[in-house]
């Protein structure tokens, strides 16, 4: 089963660009979804199917997926972006999701 | 807009049974490309998928729970439920329900999620 690896933490200054990676063997053949999880709030989809953005999600959020790494990019980071970010794919053989361990984004 | 809301006891004793319910509002549960999922997040730990059920009642579970979980759905009454037993203190966690949207064999998305309900297992 695919294992997804995320850095435990990512720190950026306001206005800079944050890149949160999700590594997995040949993850490029999968559709990667990204969730934002703030304390005491429900997770929210910020990017799905590698690079699509749900309505209501700012254009500052974008995604890419190539080779063994998927990346969530947050441009012009704001204090309100501080959260845990999880990547997720679907294991179609075992019919269950696979999540990364989550990356905590800290806005300095 | 579809919303999900979890409900259940906040405190349960070890060896007892946890029963949680997730109520859906703002829509129906009847479409075949949806499934109904439960997750949990113990304090300081990663998000864990517990399992889910399709509208026909067929369910899938995380093998790590070793058959302790049961998920059922009542589409006519717009709710689904989780039963977990026997409980241990390791089951203390925030529990979330979510809808799984099945776009295809490789694209399955969890949206929306409930706000979560905290369950503490303690004697």
């Amino acid at each position: 089963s695919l294992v997804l690896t995320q850095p435990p933490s990512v720190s950026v200054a306001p206005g800079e660009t944050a890149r949160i990676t999700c590594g997995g063997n040949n993850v490029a053949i999968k559709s990667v979804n990204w969730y934002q999880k703030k304390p005491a709030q429900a997770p929210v989809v910020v990017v799905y199917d590698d690079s699509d953005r749900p309505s209501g999600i700012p254009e500052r959020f974008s995604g890419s997926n190539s080779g063994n790494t998927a990346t969530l990019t947050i441009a012009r980071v704001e204090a309100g972006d501080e959260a845990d970010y999880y990547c997720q794919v679907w294991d179609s053989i075992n019919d269950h999701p696979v999540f990364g361990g989550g990356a905590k984004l800290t806005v300095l | 807009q579809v919303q999900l809301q979890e409900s259940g006891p906040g405190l349960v004793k070890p060896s007892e049974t946890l029963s949680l319910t997730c109520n859906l509002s703002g829509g129906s549960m009847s479409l075949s490309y949806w499934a109904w999922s439960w997750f949990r997040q113990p304090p300081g730990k990663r998000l864990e998928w517990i399992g889910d059920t399709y509208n026909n009642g067929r369910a899938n579970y995380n093998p790590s729970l070793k058959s302790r979980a049961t998920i059922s759905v009542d589409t006519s009454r717009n709710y689904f439920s989780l039963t977990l037993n026997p409980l241990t203190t390791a089951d203390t966690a925030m529990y979330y329900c979510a809808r799984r949207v099945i776009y295809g064999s490789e694209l399955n998305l969890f949206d929306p999620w409930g706000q979560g309900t905290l369950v503490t297992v303690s004697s």
Side-chain angles (χ1 to χ4, degrees):
Chain A
S1 183
L2 184 65
V3 175
L4 299 178
T5 301
Q6 297 183 245
S9 62
V10 173
S11 300
V12 294
E16 299 296 309
T17 296
R19 294 179 178 85
I20 300 173
T21 59
C22 176
N25 186 32
N26 206 18
V27 71
I29 66 171
K30 295 291 190 180
S31 294
V32 178
N33 307 315
W34 290 91
Y35 302 85
Q36 178 192 67
K37 172 75 174 69
K38 296 181 179 180
Q41 295 187 24
V44 172
V45 179
V46 291
V47 167
Y48 69 97
D49 199 11
D50 296 338
S51 58
D52 288 337
R53 203 173 40 251
S55 60
I57 300 300
E59 291 183 5
R60 302 185 297 105
F61 288 81
S62 62
S64 63
N65 188 9
S66 177
N68 295 320
T69 304
T71 303
L72 173 69
T73 301
I74 308 172
R76 301 178 298 284
V77 165
E78 302 173 355
D81 298 331
E82 197 163 88
D84 293 330
Y85 291 86
Y86 293 87
C87 59
Q88 175 253 318
V89 301
W90 187 256
D91 181 339
S92 55
I93 295 175
N94 295 301
D95 206 23
H96 67 75
V98 178
F99 281 84
K104 182 177 181 59
L105 175 65
T106 299
V107 181
L108 301 171
Chain B
Q1 182 180 358
V2 169
Q3 292 185 318
L4 299 174
Q5 179 66 58
E6 305 88 348
S7 60
L11 178 65
V12 286
K13 291 181 168 54
S15 80
E16 292 188 344
T17 297
L18 172 66
S19 294
L20 297 177
T21 298
C22 182
N23 286 281
L24 179 146
S25 59
S28 75
M29 301 181 76
S30 59
L31 295 184
S32 61
Y33 52 84
W34 292 335
W36 307 97
S37 308
W38 285 97
F39 293 84
R40 67 182 183 179
Q41 186 171 32
K45 296 188 176 181
R46 67 168 61 188
L47 201 58
E48 178 184 35
W49 175 76
I50 297 171
D52 59 25
T53 184
Y54 296 90
N55 286 341
N56 62 8
R58 181 170 69 88
N60 295 314
Y61 299 101
N62 188 328
S64 70
L65 290 166
K66 298 179 181 177
S67 303
R68 295 192 298 126
T70 303
I71 298 173
S72 59
V73 62
D74 187 333
T75 57
S76 65
R77 296 168 66 184
N78 272 8
Y79 79 90
F80 60 107
S81 61
L82 168 69
T83 300
L84 189 63
N85 73 288
L87 292 171
T88 72
T89 55
D91 294 312
T92 293
M94 185 71 79
Y95 285 75
Y96 298 93
C97 62
R99 180 181 65 181
R100 174 161 62 94
V101 184
I102 305 163
Y103 289 101
S105 63
E106 291 295 335
L107 179 55
N108 282 245
L109 181 66
F110 296 95
D111 180 58
W113 296 63
Q115 290 291 323
T117 185
L118 180 62
V119 174
T120 301
V121 182
S122 174
S123 55

